[in-house]
Amino acid sequence: WSGDYTFDTNVELAISSLNSLGLFSHFERIFSRLEEYFPDFEENAMKYYGARGYLVPAHASTTAKHVHWNKEWPLVFWFSGAGWLAHFYQEYYDYTQDGVFLENKAIPFYEKTILFFEDIIEIEDGQGRIRPSYSAENGMGDNATMDVAVLKEVIHNLIQAYQLLE
């Protein structure tokens, strides 16, 4: 898409069958490329929201700085990128059972993903709110389903990883 990596669907669809096909070696390059973007993910979180952790943009190329958004496509409010990518870290571990990968790659990615949400979630009357939140299908609002779903999955996977590694 436009010669870039489009993280709000295209990349995920392109890699979704690699593990089930046993093409594990392809993930080495994918994870390596993501690692090159980690400083930009952290800069996005800090510059836009004063938050720690990762804010993955909808589009990346030579940089993963969050610059692709406008009034029509307010993608700077799309927070699900890191959580969606975290799914593939977990899936890679599920297929390979590589404990070194889980400890050294997956867990740090999960932790950075959760840190961002920890810093942006508003707590009012004991209720958490991801505000603003953006759904590509429904527009702006609070607690976009995708944001809530990816956060729940990453928290679950992190707890499971901690338990597996004691």
Side-chain angles (χ1 to χ4, degrees), residues 5-71:
Y5 300 98
T6 302
F7 290 123
D8 65 346
T9 298
N10 298 37
V11 168
E12 291 81 1
L13 291 174
I15 66 175
S16 64
S17 64
L18 293 178
N19 281 312
S20 63
L21 293 171
L23 300 173
F24 308 118
S25 63
H26 293 284
F27 273 103
E28 292 172 19
R29 184 62 191 128
I30 293 166
F31 294 134
S32 174
R33 184 63 172 150
L34 290 175
E35 286 175 18
E36 293 170 12
Y37 288 148
F38 288 174
D40 291 343
F41 296 167
E42 290 180 306
E43 183 178 322
N44 295 335
M46 184 55 65
K47 282 192 171 181
Y48 282 100
Y49 294 98
R52 301 166 295 162
Y54 292 156
L55 176 58
V56 172
H59 302 279
S61 55
T62 57
T63 179
K65 292 184 185 336
H66 213 325
V67 296
H68 297 278
W69 57 274
N70 57 36
K71 185 177 179 183

Side-chain angles (χ1 to χ4, degrees), residues 77 80 130 132-136 138-139 141-150:
F77 302 121
S80 296
I130 303 169
S133 194
Y134 174 70
S135 165
N138 301 307
D142 293 345
N143 298 333
T145 301
M146 186 175 195
D147 289 342
V148 173
V150 298

